Amino acid sequence: MVHLTADETALVTGLWAKVNVKEYGGEALGRLLVVYPWTQRFFEHFGDLSSASAVMHNPKVKAHGEKVLASFGDGLKHLDDLKGAFAELSALHCEKLHVDPQNFKLLGNMLVCVLSRHLGKEFSPQAQAAYEKVVAGVANALAHKYH
Amino acid sequence: MSLTKAERTIIITMWGKISTQADSIGTEALERLFASYPQTKTYFPHFDLHPGSAQLRTHGSKVVAAVGDAVKSVDNIAGALSKLSELHAYILRVDPVNFKLLSHCLLVTVATRFPADFTAEAHAAWDKFLSVVSSVLTEKYR
């Protein structure tokens, strides 16, 4: 469970309203694959990931990034029960996708960087702190059903 | 892990811009660190950590100046930061996990101020560079 103050919740939801899920999702996933190239191990079927430019323009990366961020956005509606909200996805990532939960933390970092790039000063230290709590909560929730 | 020629070029070029706001970037990165990761404050019980404090500003400047030293000697970061490495190993003994946290906050600060320059390629170069700096600072720990 994520413990956000009322101010933090307001910051999170207020800023989320400005997020272009399609654009930012693709960018976050793309940056994950560029900054931490070993994460490409999960996406060998995505085609050309041979350069930063190829990754960032790859249509499969963009589509999947959008999917992932949309799911994250849905999670924001359930901040009081992230484990419940992500239970099925957690089982999927463990049993079918075999993704090391460390990767959820890496993607969380990428999302924070993407938000800061687009929101600039509005992504204040307080806003960042609130989002760091949320991405950590989502990462934990996604790891919760691992066995 | 060492930086490629292309990565070094990105670092040096961007540093030209970053250094014009060095002090405030250092201060802001520390503010972000303490806000997002309150446990990092345990290393500064002797500081006034309120945003805007003189101590925060001085320390932020120091941190970014050290990053600048590493940029200027990007071909020999270990040499440039040797004294700082000893300081961290024998005196400060900051747990290694915290270098990743500060690096992340530095990247976030740079991203908010230089969104166009902070491309995916630049992001990768800077993440790697700060990772090398962190390794140098912890290499004498044991």
Side-chain angles (χ1 to χ4, degrees):
Chain A
M1 200 186 128
V2 181
H3 295 285
L4 296 179
T5 64
D7 283 350
E8 285 172 331
T9 306
L11 274 172
V12 168
T13 42
L15 288 176
W16 194 255
K18 304 186 182 204
V19 165
N20 179 328
V21 169
K22 186 171 179 176
E23 196 192 335
Y24 296 17
E27 190 181 329
L29 184 62
R31 281 176 185 260
L32 181 74
L33 300 176
V34 170
V35 178
Y36 308 115
W38 54 93
T39 58
Q40 292 174 21
R41 70 191 296 287
F42 302 107
F43 302 103
E44 277 162 1
H45 52 295
F46 268 24
D48 187 7
L49 300 176
S50 60
S51 67
S53 180
V55 169
M56 300 312 285
H57 291 100
N58 184 308
K60 286 189 173 175
V61 170
K62 290 184 181 192
H64 194 66
E66 182 184 353
K67 197 173 168 182
V68 168
L69 201 61
S71 180
F72 179 88
D74 286 343
L76 292 184
K77 299 172 195 148
H78 302 281
L79 289 172
D80 54 342
D81 182 26
L82 287 175
K83 292 191 163 98
F86 286 104
E88 269 182 54
L89 269 178
S90 178
L92 177 78
H93 280 76
C94 169
E95 293 156 15
K96 296 270 154 26
L97 304 177
H98 309 294
V99 175
D100 180 342
Q102 173 63 16
N103 293 287
F104 307 140
K105 296 186 188 181
L106 296 182
L107 183 57
N109 284 346
M110 293 299 104
L111 178 57
V112 166
C113 286
V114 169
L115 290 174
S116 50
R117 203 176 80 80
H118 287 279
L119 299 172
K121 267 189 113 150
E122 247 194 303
F123 199 64
S124 63
Q126 292 67 38
Q128 180 191 350
Y131 267 96
E132 296 289 358
K133 283 187 183 179
V134 174
V135 300
V138 172
N140 285 337
L142 280 170
H144 188 67
K145 291 289 185 193
Y146 271 60
H147 57 91
Chain B
M1 188 168 44
S2 66
L3 299 162
T4 65
K5 218 165 167 219
E7 287 163 346
R8 288 173 213 214
T9 305
I10 290 174
I11 302 293
I12 292 168
T13 310
M14 275 184 75
W15 184 252
K17 283 193 171 184
I18 291 172
S19 58
T20 62
Q21 301 179 27
D23 288 358
S24 78
I25 284 176
T27 309
E28 188 183 319
L30 286 177
E31 263 185 61
R32 288 180 180 278
L33 181 71
F34 299 136
S36 285
Y37 311 107
Q39 69 273 19
T40 56
K41 294 189 286 186
T42 56
Y43 291 98
F44 300 94
H46 53 299
F47 265 30
D48 167 14
L49 294 178
H50 292 105
S53 93
Q55 282 179 311
L56 210 50
R57 265 182 286 125
T58 306
H59 199 66
S61 301
K62 247 190 206 172
V63 168
V64 172
V67 172
D69 288 343
V71 174
K72 285 172 211 129
S73 302
V74 75
D75 295 330
N76 181 18
I77 296 175
L81 299 186
S82 173
K83 283 260 146 23
L84 256 188
S85 179
E86 283 171 12
L87 181 74
H88 282 77
Y90 307 128
I91 315 288
L92 302 177
R93 292 170 290 185
V94 172
D95 190 286
V97 73
N98 295 290
F99 293 97
K100 282 197 215 266
L101 303 181
L102 179 56
S103 298
H104 174 63
C105 290
L106 276 165
L107 291 182
V108 167
T109 306
V110 167
T112 60
R113 293 171 187 228
F114 305 101
D117 299 278
F118 198 64
T119 61
E121 231 178 328
H123 185 165
W126 274 96
D127 193 281
K128 198 172 162 186
F129 169 73
L130 291 175
S131 174
V132 170
V133 170
S134 302
S135 291
V136 165
L137 290 177
T138 56
E139 85 188 333
K140 297 173 187 178
Y141 270 39
R142 58 176 169 170

